[in-house]
Amino acid sequence: MIKKLILKWSFILVILAFASCSKKQGNYITKINIGTHSNNELKIQIDVTTNDDVQVYAEYWTAKNGTKNKIISPISKKGLSHSLVLLNVIPETDYNFKLITVQGNEKDSSKVYNFKSRKLPEWLQKKFKANSPKPELLPQNFKKGFMLMAKRETPGTAFIVDYKGNIRWYHTVENTGFKVTHFTKEQTILSILGTNDEPTSYGSEILEINLQGDTLTHIKKGQGDLKQVIHHEIIKKSANEIVTLFVDARITDLSAIGGKKKDTINGDGILILDRKGKQIWKWSVFDDLDPMKDKALLKTKKDWMHANSLNYDKDGNFLISFYNNGQIWKVDAKSGKVIWKLGRNGNMKMAKDSDFSQAHAAHINQDGSLMFFDNGVDKKQSSVFALKVDEKNKAVQLDFHVNLPKDIYNDRMGSAYMINKDLILVCCSKRHITVLTNKKGVLLWALESEIPPYRVQFIPEENLKPFLLN
C-alpha cells in the first residue's frame, strides 16, 4: 500500500487521493517526496522509497498536452531508495506523472499525480531576447535545437537556451564562473571554472556534470598532475581523456634584452588528463618556437602567443589557433611535431581571398573544411571563414567567407558553427549577441543576452534526448 506522500517543498500544490493497492498487485512504493533538485526550478526531483529491491522510473507530461507528449525519466538502480530527476520542465506549468516500478520482467504503474512548476527566479528573468523578422525562414533543426552558453563571473551559470530565448536548463556554481563550456558526446557539460580574479577565459578547475546536475569529474589546480592555469578550451578525446590548453610559464634569463635575469615568459601548451587528474600527454609551444627570436618579447612575454582554441582534425591530430600571431597550427597528437602553420607568416600557401587576422573556435565543419570565427581586427569587421586545406601541396583555398555587419564587429572572443549546409550560428561575444546568418551575410535571427558569452555551441535536439525536447 502507498502509505504517504510527503511534500519536500511547498510549491507542489496538488496531490490526488491514494488508491489502495497491495504488494501482491506489484506496487512496492511506500513513500514519495517531491521538490526541486539542487534548488533548481527546471529540475524536479522525486524521491521514492520502496519496500523491496526494485527499479523505478517516471513518466510525466504537461496537463495541457496530455500523454501523447509524455517524457520518460532515466531508470533508477535496483534498491529501496530512488531519486529521479525530471528535466524538460517548463516554468509555471501543470504536470501529471506516474511512477513505474520494475522487478525482473514485471512492471507496475502507480496512479497519476500532479504538480505545478514555479516561475524562474528573478535573477534569471529576461536574460535572453530573441528576434527573427521571418520565423518561417528558420530551419526545423534550428527551431528544435538548443544552444549552450555560460556566465563567466561568479556565481557562474551555464545555460541551455532554445531559439525563442527561453532558458530550458541551467546550472549554477558558487565562488567561480564558467570560463569555458563544452557539450560532449556523452551528454555531459565539461567546463573550465575560474574566479573573477582570473582573466576572461582562464581558470584553475575542471568540472564535468551530467544534465541532471550530478558532478562526474572535479579537478582543482594542485590535484593530481594539474599544476598549471588552464584556459580557452576544454574538450574530450575519449570518455576518460580530458584535453585542455594550459599556460606554460617558463623562467628565462632576459637580462640580455633588458629584462630580468629570472624573468617569466608565458607560452601555451596542450594537456591531456584522465578523469582523476593524471597526465596522459603534454605538448608546449616552446617545443617548436624560440621566444628569443621575438624582437618584441619584452612586450609580449606576459602572453606570448595567446592560444585561444583547440580541436581535432579529421585524422586525429590537433588544430590550435593563436590570437597574437594570427595563425592556426596543426600538431601531431603523438609526436608533438608541428605539421603546418596557416595564416600570417605561416608555411601554407594561401589564396588572396583567404587572408584572416585572428581566428577563434577553429574546427573541422560538417563539410570537412577548416572553419573559424575571424575577429577581423585588421579591417574592423568580423567574419566567418571556411578553408579547404590541401596538406599534400601545402596550400589553402577558400571554401566560403561570410562578412558580418560592421555594427556587430567583435574584436575579441567569438565562435561560428554550421547549423546546416547554408546557415551558420555566430557568437559576437563583446556585443552580447548571437546571430544566425546565411552565407551571404544576411541575418535571419538574433539573440541578445545580458551576459557576454565566450562561445555559443549549437546542440541538435537528438543529442539531448531524452532529457530536453522541443
Side-chain angles (χ1 to χ4, degrees):
M1 176 183 296
I2 298 178
K3 296 180 179 177
K4 55 183 178 178
L5 191 147
I6 299 175
L7 299 185
K8 195 171 183 180
W9 286 275
S10 61
F11 77 89
I12 307 299
L13 300 177
V14 182
I15 297 297
L16 301 180
F18 300 112
S20 176
C21 54
S22 66
K23 183 175 177 181
K24 186 177 180 181
Q25 293 173 304
N27 199 310
Y28 303 94
I29 298 171
T30 60
K31 187 169 64 174
I32 304 171
N33 295 349
I34 309 172
T36 55
H37 179 68
S38 300
N39 201 31
N40 187 308
E41 302 296 348
L42 297 185
K43 299 174 186 174
I44 300 298
Q45 182 170 323
I46 302 179
D47 293 333
V48 183
T49 303
T50 55
N51 56 20
D52 205 346
D53 286 330
V54 296
Q55 292 177 283
V56 181
Y57 66 90
E59 294 179 352
Y60 58 107
W61 56 92
T62 63
K64 179 180 178 181
N65 294 329
T67 56
K68 65 179 180 179
N69 292 320
K70 72 179 179 182
I71 304 169
I72 299 175
S73 77
I75 192 167
S76 69
K77 293 181 179 179
K78 192 174 182 180
L80 301 176
S81 298
H82 316 265
S83 287
L84 309 176
V85 179
L86 312 187
L87 302 180
N88 209 58
V89 173
I90 301 169
E92 299 182 278
T93 300
D94 291 308
Y95 281 88
N96 296 328
F97 74 95
K98 60 182 178 180
L99 300 169
I100 314 298
T101 55
V102 181
Q103 188 174 64
N105 294 322
E106 294 185 2
K107 290 185 179 181
D108 187 75
S109 175
S110 75
K111 62 179 291 183
V112 175
Y113 302 103
N114 58 15
F115 64 86
K116 184 174 182 178
S117 57
R118 290 193 301 200
K119 68 178 181 180
L120 287 173
E122 190 66 31
W123 63 275
L124 285 176
Q125 298 290 335
K126 300 178 181 179
K127 282 283 183 185
F128 304 98
K129 181 182 178 182
N131 179 41
S132 178
K134 294 185 177 181
E136 66 273 13
L137 298 180
L138 300 178
Q140 277 301 110
N141 74 315
F142 181 65
K143 289 182 176 181
K144 284 187 168 293
F146 300 87
M147 290 158 283
L148 172 66
M149 63 192 78
K151 174 175 170 280
R152 293 167 299 171
E153 297 77 26
T154 58
T157 307
F159 301 95
I160 294 179
V161 180
D162 65 21
Y163 87 101
K164 294 180 180 179
N166 298 316
I167 298 172
R168 301 294 298 276
W169 180 97
Y170 68 94
H171 185 88
T172 302
V173 290
E174 299 294 334
N175 305 316
T176 55
F178 280 99
K179 301 292 187 168
V180 185
T181 56
H182 178 74
F183 186 76
T184 74
K185 292 180 180 179
E186 292 80 29
Q187 294 186 304
T188 66
I189 292 176
L190 185 63
S191 59
I192 294 174
L193 303 183
T195 65
N196 291 347
D197 294 333
E198 293 174 283
T200 303
S201 304
Y202 293 72
S204 50
E205 298 180 31
I206 294 171
L207 177 69
E208 184 179 14
I209 58 174
N210 61 21
L211 290 171
Q212 291 97 324
D214 303 319
T215 297
L216 306 177
T217 304
H218 192 190
I219 309 168
K220 296 184 178 182
K221 181 183 175 184
Q223 295 177 340
D225 294 323
L226 181 58
K227 308 297 183 184
Q228 310 90 345
V229 170
I230 54 179
H231 65 97
H232 280 90
E233 197 65 80
I234 190 87
I235 56 176
K236 274 189 163 185
K237 182 178 181 182
S238 69
N240 192 48
E241 294 175 289
I242 297 169
V243 187
T244 188
L245 293 168
F246 73 93
V247 177
D248 191 356
R250 296 287 179 101
I251 306 300
T252 310
D253 183 357
L254 299 183
S255 57
I257 59 171
K260 300 176 183 176
K261 193 166 184 64
K262 288 187 176 181
D263 223 322
T264 302
I265 303 172
N266 287 323
D268 302 290
I270 302 170
L271 181 65
I272 303 179
L273 302 170
D274 68 15
R275 290 173 61 177
K276 293 183 179 179
K278 182 180 179 182
Q279 180 179 305
I280 297 173
W281 192 84
K282 188 178 178 183
W283 172 87
S284 173
V285 69
F286 290 103
D287 298 342
D288 181 83
L289 286 183
D290 179 2
M292 299 305 292
K293 293 181 180 180
D294 182 358
K295 294 179 181 179
L297 185 59
L298 288 181
K299 292 182 179 180
T300 61
K301 65 180 182 177
K302 290 183 179 180
D303 188 11
W304 179 37
M305 295 285 285
H306 195 89
N308 60 24
S309 75
L310 180 70
N311 221 306
Y312 282 99
D313 202 347
K314 290 170 285 189
D315 57 8
N317 292 312
F318 287 113
L319 297 170
I320 180 171
S321 61
F322 298 95
Y323 187 90
N324 287 352
N325 69 355
Q327 291 182 353
I328 300 171
W329 292 8
K330 182 170 180 174
V331 178
D332 191 294
K334 292 182 179 178
S335 69
K337 181 182 177 182
V338 177
I339 299 170
W340 47 251
K341 299 178 182 179
L342 182 156
R344 191 185 310 140
N345 301 317
N347 58 11
M348 298 287 278
K349 184 180 178 181
M350 298 186 67
K352 210 170 187 180
D353 56 4
S354 60
D355 285 341
F356 61 93
S357 52
Q358 284 87 13
H360 266 92
H363 67 283
I364 301 299
N365 69 15
Q366 63 190 41
D367 297 326
S369 296
L370 174 62
M371 184 168 162
F372 53 88
F373 178 85
D374 178 26
N375 294 108
V377 174
D378 295 345
K379 299 178 182 179
K380 299 293 185 289
Q381 183 175 15
S382 300
S383 64
V384 179
F385 275 94
L387 306 177
K388 293 292 186 184
V389 179
D390 182 352
E391 206 163 277
K392 182 179 179 181
N393 295 307
K394 293 274 188 178
V396 175
Q397 296 293 328
L398 182 69
D399 182 2
F400 65 82
H401 179 219
V402 182
N403 278 315
L404 298 171
K406 289 187 176 181
D407 58 356
I408 57 171
Y409 164 61
N410 186 74
D411 64 333
R412 306 287 289 193
M413 304 175 284
S415 62
Y417 300 103
M418 295 188 76
I419 298 302
N420 57 28
K421 63 184 180 65
D422 298 313
L423 300 178
I424 305 152
L425 185 71
V426 183
C427 169
C428 297
S429 309
K430 291 188 72 175
R431 297 292 182 175
H432 293 234
I433 192 169
T434 301
V435 299
L436 187 69
T437 179
N438 62 20
K439 290 181 179 178
K440 293 181 181 179
V442 178
L443 304 188
L444 305 180
W445 171 92
L447 181 73
E448 297 177 64
S449 54
E450 281 191 359
I451 61 169
Y454 170 61
R455 268 186 210 152
V456 176
Q457 180 184 1
F458 179 71
I459 310 172
E461 184 188 38
E462 55 266 27
N463 294 357
L464 277 166
K465 289 180 178 179
F467 302 105
L468 290 180
L469 303 169
N470 273 320

